């Protein structure tokens, strides 16, 4: 086995790589970060993230399928759809706090 094959095997199951593959898109991470504020309606998320409707809808569906986000429909007139983090999504916030601190140190202040 070559050293490249060894490295590939080592990182194939790596939790960091697997996590980034699952939540690592710009839009997924942005939605999770914005939802730290609490439950939001679709249009509130759209304004906060600056995503277009199609992209936001797709990302919310993906995050809901992976159980990071839950969707709640209020049937009153007019119908309102709310999104919030699940416990799984909320547990990611500690990692986001670490990324924030790192970015503040190395990206914002470290220019």
């Amino acid at each position: 086995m070559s050293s490249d094959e060894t490295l590939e095997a080592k990182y194939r199951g790596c939790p960091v790589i697997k996590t980034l593959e699952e939540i690592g898109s710009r839009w997924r991470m942005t939605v999770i970060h914005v939802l730290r504020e609490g439950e939001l309606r679709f249009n509130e998320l759209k304004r906060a993230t600056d995503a277009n409707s199609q992209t936001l809808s797709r990302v919310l569906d993906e995050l809901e399928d992976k159980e990071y986000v839950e969707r709640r429909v209020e049937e009153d007139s007019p119908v309102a759809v709310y999104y919030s983090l699940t416990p799984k999504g909320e547990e990611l916030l500690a990692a986001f706090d670490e990324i924030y601190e790192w970015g503040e140190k190395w990206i914002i202040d470290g220019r």
Side-chain angles (χ1 to χ4, degrees):
M1 187 179 284
S2 74
S3 63
D4 287 343
E5 291 171 327
T6 304
L7 279 175
E8 182 181 328
K10 176 180 178 180
Y11 290 107
R12 185 176 304 124
C14 173
V16 171
I17 304 246
K18 292 290 187 189
T19 301
L20 288 174
E21 288 172 349
E22 190 160 300
I23 64 157
S25 81
R26 170 189 175 195
W27 293 115
R28 288 181 196 158
M29 292 180 74
T30 299
V31 167
I32 292 168
H33 183 64
V34 168
L35 283 175
R36 81 180 309 130
E37 301 299 324
E39 187 176 65
L40 295 172
R41 292 174 75 161
F42 183 87
N43 284 334
E44 292 171 320
L45 272 169
K46 187 174 175 228
R47 281 191 299 275
T49 62
D50 203 28
N52 67 47
S53 295
Q54 184 178 0
T55 297
L56 183 57
S57 182
R58 177 183 47 79
V59 167
L60 286 167
D61 286 346
E62 291 169 355
L63 289 172
E64 189 177 7
D65 287 346
K66 295 176 184 300
E67 299 178 348
Y68 292 98
V69 168
E70 60 189 6
R71 180 178 190 260
R72 180 176 68 84
V73 178
E74 205 168 89
E75 297 290 341
D76 297 338
S77 184
V79 173
V81 180
Y82 294 89
Y83 295 90
S84 61
L85 293 175
T86 63
K88 181 179 178 180
E90 287 176 354
E91 280 195 37
L92 273 173
L93 297 180
F96 276 60
D97 291 341
E98 293 290 326
I99 292 169
Y100 179 91
E101 289 177 21
W102 183 89
E104 196 172 46
K105 177 179 179 181
W106 293 102
I107 305 298
I108 304 301
D109 295 339
R111 294 182 196 192

